[in-house]
Amino acid sequence: MATNHKRLPIPLPVRHSLWIAAAGRCEFRGCNEPVSRDFLTERTAYVGEFAHIVGDSPDAPRGDLVRSKLLAQDERNLMLMCYGCHKRIDRHGKANAYSEADLLAMKREHEARVELIYSSTGVKQTLPVLMTFPIASHTPVIDIRDINHAIIENSKYKRFPSGRHVHIDRSDFDITDGSPDFWARAEATLTSIFETRLRPELTARHTPSHLTIAAFAPIPLLMKLGALLGDKMDASVLDLPVERWLWDKRTNVAAPNWQFAVPTQLPRVVAVEVGVSSRVTGVLPPDGAPVLRFEAAMPNRGIIRTQAHLQEFRARCNEFFVALTAAGARVVHIFPATPLCASVELGRLLLPKTLEEVHVWDRQAPTWVHALCLK
């Protein structure tokens, strides 16, 4: 039978201390919602609740005959939560699914993350740049919250989103990449949005000097975005090797091996197969141009798994194209099988002054179609 229990008030200094430790956000794992403003109106409002890990009475969720009273006002036994998550951990009373160990782990993780943010030095802001276009029948969706999380996690708390972002969102484009009109219209749309929305951000006085790029679109459009951005501004390009745009954190991830060979002399027009996600097949080079290959020794879709892998790809690919131009190539037709991040980086590095034209082809099995011209 439940016993009468007088609830002990949580002292104001404990409330203040917990609010600071939690950074004013819900500590339930995966929520992280700010509790200093109304979720609907976005107006400033106190909507946080102080939740007990060990219940404040023996009959409460995770309650204990002895420890409940001892821990009722102890900050180490309290979590800052939004209304919904507080109900989640107290629903069904003693039969609630969340154990004391579960909640202590959530509290520890959240507050350690906040402390890491507060104690970081040399922190720099970054401007997130997002782009979405349909790929065949697939309609991509990029959540800015995932990108903000990835920026912080991937940089080990050395970079933080600037608070604003630019999203070139044409996931609702009315034709797909199989349509003959797609490439001309998509390229014109991308260029127009870039010039009207993104370029003003890049040239604004207080814009961060670093970009974080997350794009999901057909490969030629990813390369076009990279070409528009260029390589003059420092940037990090994200991908999906694990989930939610996070890089693989394992320390034993094998690095890809890149291979290529360039003769000392080449004609003005050449074709280039870039095989990262898979081997490039079915290429019929224009005007009988010689075909050169830059590829991974063992291509696969998830081969670039860390930022270091991407940086090495960029360095080796740049070395390859420098060798091409030194051998006499001036017009390059590219046939890419590349992941998202490598496609953007390929576009960023493909504008040396010695190249007169850069054509990008798109794989539409069983053949390739000319998509667009980067230069």
Side-chain angles (χ1 to χ4, degrees):
M1 178 181 295
T3 57
N4 291 330
H5 172 72
K6 184 177 180 180
R7 192 163 200 173
L8 296 174
I10 300 171
L12 190 59
V14 172
R15 292 172 178 253
H16 286 170
S17 181
L18 180 58
W19 186 277
I20 293 170
R25 290 178 174 270
C26 178
E27 295 191 87
F28 189 87
R29 184 183 291 132
C31 181
N32 202 43
E33 285 291 336
V35 292
S36 58
R37 63 175 182 260
D38 186 279
F39 298 148
L40 181 61
T41 66
E42 295 293 318
R43 293 177 180 173
T44 299
Y46 173 72
V47 293
E49 299 189 357
F50 296 94
H52 288 85
I53 296 175
V54 173
D56 63 347
S57 76
D59 299 321
R62 299 164 300 280
D64 181 85
L65 284 171
V66 176
R67 298 168 66 228
S68 286
K69 184 175 181 180
L70 293 175
L71 297 173
Q73 297 174 309
D74 192 329
E75 182 188 340
R76 294 168 296 181
N77 186 55
L78 293 165
M79 299 176 71
L80 182 62
M81 286 192 173
C82 65
Y83 173 82
C85 289
H86 193 180
K87 291 299 181 185
R88 184 174 290 113
I89 70 163
D90 283 356
R91 192 178 294 128
H92 307 308
K94 300 283 281 188
N96 186 271
Y98 294 99
S99 69
E100 178 183 350
D102 293 335
L103 298 181
L104 284 171
M106 292 185 196
K107 176 180 174 68
R108 183 170 58 251
E109 292 168 9
H110 181 94
E111 293 178 12
R113 187 165 60 247
V114 170
E115 176 60 25
L116 188 58
I117 292 171
Y118 285 161
S119 61
S120 293
T121 58
V123 174
K124 296 181 179 180
Q125 284 192 332
T126 182
L127 175 68
V129 176
L130 286 56
M131 184 179 80
T132 45
F133 274 83
I135 301 176
S137 60
H138 178 66
T139 302
V141 175
I142 301 179
D143 190 330
I144 185 57
R145 293 173 297 181
D146 289 341
I147 304 307
N148 289 340
H149 174 69
I151 288 169
I152 295 170
E153 288 290 328
N154 288 339
S155 68
K156 297 180 180 179
Y157 297 83
K158 294 299 182 183
R159 292 202 184 277
F160 288 83
S162 65
R164 64 186 190 277
H165 68 280
V166 177
H167 191 173
I168 301 173
D169 184 9
R170 289 313 312 265
S171 54
D172 61 347
F173 211 58
D174 57 348
I175 55 175
T176 64
D177 52 359
S179 168
D181 297 332
F182 176 83
W183 295 111
R185 288 181 54 189
E187 181 179 13
T189 298
L190 170 55
T191 303
S192 174
I193 297 175
F194 181 90
E195 294 297 337
T196 56
R197 293 189 54 201
L198 185 51
R199 191 176 295 284
E201 283 284 347
L202 300 181
T203 56
R205 186 173 183 180
H206 299 295
T207 292
S209 60
H210 182 274
L211 304 177
T212 296
I213 305 162
F216 206 120
I219 292 174
L221 288 179
L222 296 173
M223 293 178 62
K224 180 66 176 183
L225 175 64
L228 288 169
L229 290 169
D231 63 354
K232 301 303 181 185
M233 180 175 280
D234 190 19
S236 299
V237 187
L238 305 183
D239 210 310
L240 293 162
V242 184
E243 61 177 7
R244 296 173 60 194
W245 304 91
L246 296 173
W247 289 118
D248 196 328
K249 292 184 177 180
R250 295 176 298 167
T251 57
N252 60 344
V253 181
N257 291 317
W258 307 105
Q259 53 192 29
F260 62 89
V262 179
T264 56
Q265 288 190 328
L266 286 169
R268 181 171 173 273
V269 180
V270 299
V272 172
E273 299 176 355
V274 183
V276 180
S277 303
S278 64
R279 302 282 183 199
V280 176
T281 60
V283 170
L284 296 175
D287 303 321
V291 178
L292 295 98
R293 294 180 179 84
F294 178 94
E295 59 187 2
M298 299 180 65
N300 68 71
R301 186 172 296 177
I303 195 172
I304 296 179
R305 304 193 64 80
T306 70
Q307 184 70 41
H309 290 177
L310 182 58
Q311 291 171 345
E312 179 64 13
F313 163 81
R314 179 183 170 88
R316 297 287 284 162
C317 203
N318 185 63
E319 182 183 339
F320 169 71
F321 280 101
V322 167
L324 278 189
T325 57
R330 295 294 180 269
V331 177
V332 179
H333 292 263
I334 301 179
F335 298 80
T338 45
L340 305 176
C341 60
S343 303
V344 175
E345 287 289 19
L346 192 54
R348 293 183 71 212
L349 65 84
L350 268 176
L351 292 175
K353 294 180 179 179
T354 48
L355 285 178
E356 299 171 10
E357 297 177 24
V358 179
H359 299 268
V360 184
W361 295 64
D362 183 59
R363 176 67 169 171
Q364 295 187 5
T367 187
W368 292 79
V369 297
H370 184 271
L372 47 85
C373 184
L374 300 185
K375 183 179 178 183

